[in-house]
Amino acid sequence: MLTDITLGQYYPGDSFLHKLDPRTKIVATLIFICSIFLASTYVAYGVLFLSVLLAVGLSRLPAKLVARSVKPLWVIVVLTFVIHAFSTPGAALFEWKFISITDAGVQQGVLMSLRLVFLIVVSSLLTYTTSPIVLTDGIESLLNPLRRFGVPAHELAMMMTIALRFIPTLLEETDRIMKAQVARGADFSSGHLLKRAKNLLPLLVPLFISAFRRADELAVAMEARCYRGGENRTRLHQLAYAPRDGVALGGVLALTLALAWMRWSGL
Amino acid sequence: MSIKLEAVSYTYMPGTPYEKRAISDISLEIEKGEFVAIIGHTGSGKSTLVQHLNGLLHPTSGRVLVDDIDLAAKTPEAKKIARSVGMVFQYPEHQLFAETIYEDVAFGPRNLKLDEAEVRQRVELAMEFVGLDYGKFAHRSPFHLSGGQMRRVAIAGVIAMQPDYLVLDEPSAGLDPAARNAIFAEIVQLYRTRGITVILVTHNMEEAARLADRMLVMAKGEVRMDGKPKEVFRADRELLHAAGVDVPRMVELVDALRLKGIDIPEDTVSVDSLVREILARQRRENAC
Amino acid sequence: MDDIIIQTKDLCHLYPNGDGELIRALDKVSVTIRRGEFVAIIGTNGSGKSTLAKHFNALLLPSAGQCLVDGLPVSDTGDMWAIRQKVGMVFQNPDNQIVAAVVEEDVAFGPENLGVPPLEIRRRVDDALAAVDMTDYRLHAPHLLSGGQKQRIAIAGVLAIRPDCLVLDEPTAMLDPLGREEVLSTVSRLNKEQGMTVVYITHFMEEAVFADRVLVMDKGRIIREGTPKEIFSCVEEIAALGLEAPLAAEVAWHLRNRGLDLPADIITDEELALALCQSN
């Protein structure tokens, strides 16, 4: 049942993207996502498309895998297209009662859905090429300078680490409790909404109790291993920038500048 | 009246890279009134197997018939007959959820759509069976009990369904010897007085040998041995070892004694009979 | 004094239960654990053995009396971190003490907390994983390991702190026979080969047989103390506590009761076999 879900979509490898420092990848991804919104002309979209292709190539991931990342979100992509196609004023291509599709609408719809696809592909490249633990390290390190403004960088990272560790355990537990209650005749799938919510209690109550018990025991175990927050902590794996990180960041910045220039010059 | 498995195989996550065959081609029949122990180490497929017995899992291939009804059939009869197989999971106290012990034990009977008088009667009976005084405990919270007591409440919740077949997955895990013995005494009592069919999944060979009249040894998703405890433990030790099964302490002791030339029957399984045998032998020798 | 690692003097621990009554979990417990010893603490659930163990690394503080670790009182909060470095703890549920989603990251957790430099952490992690024979699994995800393997990872996580003493609180209660065997042999190897002091809490009597010394607890008190032979030959007393003596001891006891002349200290199969041969 629930354990069939495969979590964490990290795809091991040693491509250029895999070897990049997680901080570089996070920052580059953010910049790339912003630059997607700079594109407004066909030429700009062409450049963007080529850059995404280049990035996919550098990741050496199977094309099928990358395509699959769009699959869970295809409804949103289609919806984006439909909304734009119907709501943008312009010359009508098709009219029926109060519904009309315009040429500008179709054009706008295609471009908007393309943006979305780019966005999904680029961010999934990040998670495909970076293991969750390393990603967490990267986020902690990037947030660290914000600590003086009260951002609990270490605590956030520790929470993510523990969540990653316990999600499979809790899914297994959910599966087990669910089966136990089904064996006692519980029904989790029929009835109207309110009834269904009430029916979930025999699953949710034990699950919460178990999660709290685990949290409690984990806290004691962490304390026993001398955990006392982020102060003076060292790390087994230290993050280090390499020349390729400069190349990657430089590339993404160049792309952004090019797109910005195209936007202002109207190319 | 029986549970019958016909060439049952089960594969987790078929068609993915995580595909794993948990049990393969298992055929067996458990007759009503038997006390069967299923032993095997973790990952031998015994948990997957027992989840087929009440339709929590349906075979990838093969059939499971309870009282001649196929559990995979999507009929009301199939659903109903699946309810006649009660299932006590490992650490069943983790499934408690209600505010009072009464409410928790009543959960199953209520799902059977029984009227409240009948529910109440079943709760009383089930609590009595696991040795929890109804007057004293019924309206207490299950979460303030000791671990052993919580487990009894959970077992009562399954017994209250009044199943014809009762599957217990490691019911003594994590308990100390006193609590363990108490739980087993209750299961045996249930077996004797109610004529319920018991299927006990366990690592504990002593218990399996002492309680069950039939034993299935599982390894790598297959049933490797099937027979009376005495036969199984006296069978090929190599086979038992390959299955990752420990022979009971009693068998080890008898072996150690026989190795030193103390002539006692190989199939002695209880302390009482061993003591009797040794004394009888001692007397014989002294008489010479 | 130097060879004593843990010592309690009239240690009491009281806590309020759900109904507001005070429960006396420990009642004037005095124990001494020497360096290099393997001490087993046995008792039924609720006998106070876990409560006692939690005092050994300052997870609980005494209500009255004293608990000293390497001469430092646990009640002095200033010494808490020094104490937790000297006494490492392994708990019952292997799932609930592993922090990270990769084995070696988890083992590194302790030294990271202590601010050990990265290269030294690497060395400690490698040593600890080798000591529990889990080097091959260093990049695995813990949730996919067996119970026995998870518990060995937990032991490695404690070893990486480089403690003087290892306290294990029912480490095998949730494991299958293979897992129990793995954990017990790992612990006894650490004791024999590296001279690690071990305090091993269990209700499996067969495991206590491996100890140098056994403490029996009941209702918050230490009621008996001795070698495994001394403890387990009192079959009746052990049974009265709701525990089980090893099988050979039990059979020998029955035979003695029926008039057979056997030594009182039989606890293993071989000893029983030998004694029976000689009694002829």
Side-chain angles (χ1 to χ4, degrees):
Chain A
M1 281 197 245
L2 275 168
T3 38
D4 289 3
I5 300 169
T6 49
L7 261 152
Q9 12 174 22
Y10 175 57
Y11 191 89
D14 62 347
S15 71
F16 179 78
L17 283 198
H18 281 91
K19 281 193 245 166
L20 281 180
D21 188 279
R23 291 168 293 186
T24 310
K25 280 190 270 190
I26 296 168
V27 171
T29 306
L30 290 176
I31 297 176
F32 201 114
I33 288 173
C34 294
S35 65
I36 289 175
F37 293 94
L38 285 173
S40 56
T41 62
Y42 287 116
V43 179
Y45 270 90
V47 172
L48 255 187
F49 181 68
L50 289 178
S51 328
V52 172
L53 271 191
L54 178 71
V56 172
L58 284 174
S59 73
R60 288 213 232 121
L61 293 169
K64 239 173 143 182
L65 189 74
V66 179
R68 210 163 63 199
S69 65
V70 187
K71 221 171 102 187
L73 296 165
W74 71 270
V75 180
I76 300 175
V77 174
V78 171
L79 210 68
T80 309
F81 173 78
V82 171
I83 289 173
H84 280 100
F86 285 118
S87 63
T88 316
L93 294 175
F94 171 85
E95 256 177 313
W96 182 69
K97 294 192 180 165
F98 55 92
I99 299 170
S100 74
I101 299 176
T102 64
D103 57 348
V106 170
Q107 189 188 348
Q108 190 69 8
V110 168
L111 292 183
M112 281 301 163
S113 343
L114 260 181
R115 277 187 181 177
L116 211 54
V117 171
F118 290 157
L119 199 146
I120 296 166
V121 169
V122 168
S123 33
S124 55
L125 280 185
L126 173 66
T127 50
Y128 275 137
T129 62
T130 321
S131 86
I133 303 273
V134 175
L135 199 61
T136 310
D137 281 354
I139 294 173
E140 177 176 5
S141 169
L142 285 173
L143 288 179
N144 245 339
L146 298 179
R147 275 232 304 256
R148 73 186 68 172
F149 304 113
V151 176
H154 166 75
E155 286 72 12
L156 283 174
M158 186 52 79
M159 272 163 59
M160 278 178 67
T161 304
I162 291 172
L164 285 169
R165 155 71 189 81
F166 276 91
I167 284 170
T169 307
L170 287 175
L171 277 179
E172 236 170 73
E173 179 117 13
T174 310
D175 190 46
R176 207 166 40 230
I177 297 170
M178 207 156 151
K179 280 177 173 164
Q181 308 298 31
V182 167
R184 286 208 280 164
D187 183 359
F188 295 122
S189 53
S190 63
H192 54 82
L193 208 61
L194 197 70
K195 188 165 172 350
R196 226 188 267 193
K198 199 175 155 243
N199 284 352
L200 278 179
L201 282 181
L203 173 64
L204 294 180
V205 172
L207 197 59
F208 273 104
I209 291 173
S210 150
F212 281 120
R213 189 187 54 241
R214 286 181 191 281
D216 198 39
E217 285 182 23
L218 183 71
V220 171
M222 285 169 72
E223 225 186 294
R225 281 162 78 184
C226 305
Y227 180 68
R228 47 194 141 163
E231 289 299 310
N232 304 321
R233 254 188 128 236
T234 46
R235 302 304 304 259
L236 169 63
H237 296 297
Q238 287 202 304
L239 298 176
Y241 289 112
R244 59 174 163 266
D245 292 297
V247 174
L249 271 181
V252 173
L253 281 174
L255 172 73
T256 313
L257 288 176
L259 287 170
W261 176 75
M262 283 181 217
R263 191 177 182 106
W264 304 141
S265 65
L267 190 71
Chain B
M1 301 303 250
S2 67
I3 298 182
K4 200 193 272 174
L5 277 75
E6 291 176 351
V8 171
S9 298
Y10 187 80
T11 307
Y12 283 101
M13 296 195 250
T16 70
Y18 303 95
E19 179 172 312
K20 188 175 173 283
R21 180 162 244 207
I23 52 176
S24 44
D25 199 28
I26 292 184
S27 295
L28 58 92
E29 184 164 9
I30 294 168
E31 300 282 350
K32 208 159 229 177
E34 278 192 292
F35 195 132
V36 182
I38 301 181
I39 56 176
H41 69 89
T42 313
S44 61
K46 54 192 188 341
S47 291
T48 307
L49 176 70
V50 294
Q51 286 180 36
H52 280 80
L53 303 182
N54 69 343
L56 284 173
L57 294 177
H58 294 304
T60 314
S61 69
R63 294 201 301 168
V64 181
L65 305 170
V66 176
D67 297 349
D68 294 323
I69 295 171
D70 188 343
L71 287 185
K74 289 190 169 54
T75 58
E77 289 81 46
K79 217 174 170 182
K80 193 167 165 239
I81 204 75
R83 299 279 161 269
S84 74
V85 184
M87 176 82 77
V88 177
F89 280 86
Q90 251 186 65
Y91 299 98
E93 60 273 25
H94 292 174
Q95 75 202 37
L96 299 178
F97 71 96
E99 279 171 59
T100 67
I101 293 172
Y102 181 92
E103 289 298 312
D104 210 290
V105 178
F107 179 68
R110 282 195 185 135
N111 286 329
L112 295 174
K113 313 259 183 293
L114 302 171
D115 62 64
E116 200 53 38
E118 169 85 15
V119 169
R120 191 194 145 98
Q121 196 194 345
R122 284 191 171 202
V123 172
E124 275 182 43
L125 213 58
M127 285 183 63
E128 187 191 315
F129 255 113
V130 297
L132 290 171
D133 183 52
Y134 181 85
K136 192 171 160 206
F137 285 102
H139 299 290
R140 286 208 200 167
S141 162
F143 300 108
H144 292 153
L145 301 174
S146 74
Q149 286 172 325
M150 276 169 82
R151 185 162 303 182
R152 286 183 192 170
V153 173
I155 294 176
V158 177
I159 291 174
M161 305 275 289
Q162 301 198 341
D164 297 325
Y165 306 90
L166 181 63
V167 182
L168 301 120
D169 192 352
E170 290 281 347
S172 68
L175 296 180
D176 62 33
R180 195 169 72 208
N181 290 338
I183 294 242
F184 278 112
E186 281 146 21
I187 293 167
V188 168
Q189 192 206 1
L190 198 65
Y191 171 68
R192 297 221 172 106
T193 58
R194 279 269 198 73
I196 205 169
T197 309
V198 178
I199 298 153
L200 173 69
V201 178
T202 180
H203 299 301
N204 191 318
M205 303 307 123
E206 328 288 339
E207 261 132 35
R210 196 157 48 87
L211 302 169
D213 29 59
R214 180 176 165 198
M215 256 166 122
L216 304 174
V217 179
M218 289 195 68
K220 299 205 173 99
E222 288 169 19
V223 174
R224 292 285 168 85
M225 281 186 248
D226 181 351
K228 290 192 188 318
K230 280 182 185 179
E231 296 163 11
V232 168
F233 286 129
R234 286 299 157 195
D236 197 348
R237 285 294 155 77
E238 291 298 306
L239 216 62
L240 282 173
H241 263 290
V245 168
D246 278 344
V247 291
R249 293 280 304 111
M250 197 60 192
V251 174
E252 278 179 14
L253 177 57
V254 169
D255 279 356
L257 295 180
R258 284 168 59 88
L259 201 69
K260 284 269 188 286
I262 298 162
D263 176 33
I264 37 174
E266 212 181 8
D267 59 358
T268 314
V269 287
S270 75
V271 172
D272 281 347
S273 56
L274 177 61
V275 169
R276 260 200 315 277
E277 288 292 345
I278 294 175
L279 288 171
R281 182 182 163 276
Q282 225 68 7
R283 242 173 271 127
R284 266 200 315 275
E285 309 239 320
N286 290 344
C288 295
Chain C
M1 268 313 273
D2 209 11
D3 71 328
I4 293 173
I5 177 78
I6 297 171
Q7 188 165 37
T8 71
K9 288 173 191 158
D10 294 330
L11 179 62
C12 293
H13 190 81
L14 302 154
Y15 69 93
N17 72 355
D19 305 328
E21 301 166 48
L22 269 188
I23 302 291
R24 190 172 281 268
L26 291 179
D27 190 6
K28 294 198 173 170
V29 173
S30 299
V31 294
T32 303
I33 313 259
R34 289 171 198 286
R35 281 181 202 276
E37 256 193 320
F38 188 142
V39 178
I41 304 181
I42 62 174
T44 54
N45 292 339
S47 60
K49 50 196 194 321
S50 291
T51 310
L52 178 61
K54 288 206 173 93
H55 283 80
F56 294 166
N57 93 340
L59 286 171
L60 289 176
L61 300 179
S63 306
Q66 255 195 328
C67 178
L68 301 170
V69 173
D70 204 10
L72 304 170
V74 296
S75 36
D76 185 349
T77 46
D79 292 330
M80 190 164 75
W81 301 109
I83 287 167
R84 287 188 184 157
Q85 272 182 69
K86 287 175 197 290
V87 178
M89 272 202 91
V90 176
F91 299 89
Q92 188 184 86
N93 190 334
D95 270 322
N96 297 352
Q97 52 188 321
I98 293 177
V99 183
V102 176
V103 165
E104 67 170 18
E105 299 258 346
D106 184 73
V107 177
F109 181 73
E112 286 179 344
N113 290 335
L114 297 173
V116 173
L119 278 176
E120 170 69 11
I121 298 182
R122 178 84 261 166
R123 194 157 54 229
R124 288 189 181 198
V125 168
D126 292 346
D127 287 352
L129 283 173
V132 299
D133 204 12
M134 286 294 286
T135 306
D136 292 347
Y137 294 87
R138 66 185 187 92
L139 296 177
H140 282 232
H143 76 272
L144 297 176
L145 301 176
S146 76
Q149 289 172 329
K150 282 184 216 168
Q151 209 57 303
R152 276 147 72 198
I153 296 302
I155 294 173
V158 170
L159 291 179
I161 299 172
R162 300 264 158 99
D164 295 334
C165 175
L166 201 56
V167 177
L168 303 103
D169 187 0
E170 298 199 35
T172 57
M174 301 184 77
L175 306 183
D176 63 8
L178 284 175
R180 269 161 59 189
E181 167 63 33
E182 279 172 34
V183 169
L184 188 64
S185 64
T186 301
V187 171
S188 77
R189 201 178 59 233
L190 286 170
N191 173 255
K192 300 263 152 12
E193 290 172 12
Q194 305 192 8
M196 178 68 74
T197 314
V198 173
V199 177
Y200 194 99
I201 294 167
T202 182
H203 56 237
F204 291 110
M205 300 304 119
E206 314 91 86
E207 297 181 349
V209 171
F210 294 89
D212 300 322
R213 195 151 60 95
V214 180
L215 306 176
V216 185
M217 288 195 73
D218 188 45
K219 299 193 184 83
R221 291 190 192 163
I222 303 237
I223 55 162
R224 252 179 169 283
E225 186 176 343
T227 62
K229 270 187 191 308
E230 289 163 357
I231 299 291
F232 292 124
S233 45
C234 316
V235 173
E236 251 179 325
E237 197 179 327
I238 293 286
L241 289 172
L243 299 168
E244 267 169 2
L247 188 62
E250 192 187 337
V251 171
W253 179 80
H254 279 291
L255 291 170
R256 275 199 305 276
N257 275 1
R258 307 266 192 103
L260 221 57
D261 179 28
L262 292 173
D265 64 350
I266 292 173
I267 54 172
T268 69
D269 295 356
E270 285 66 34
E271 287 164 358
L272 179 61
L274 217 63
L276 283 175
C277 287
Q278 284 161 357
S279 80
N280 283 327

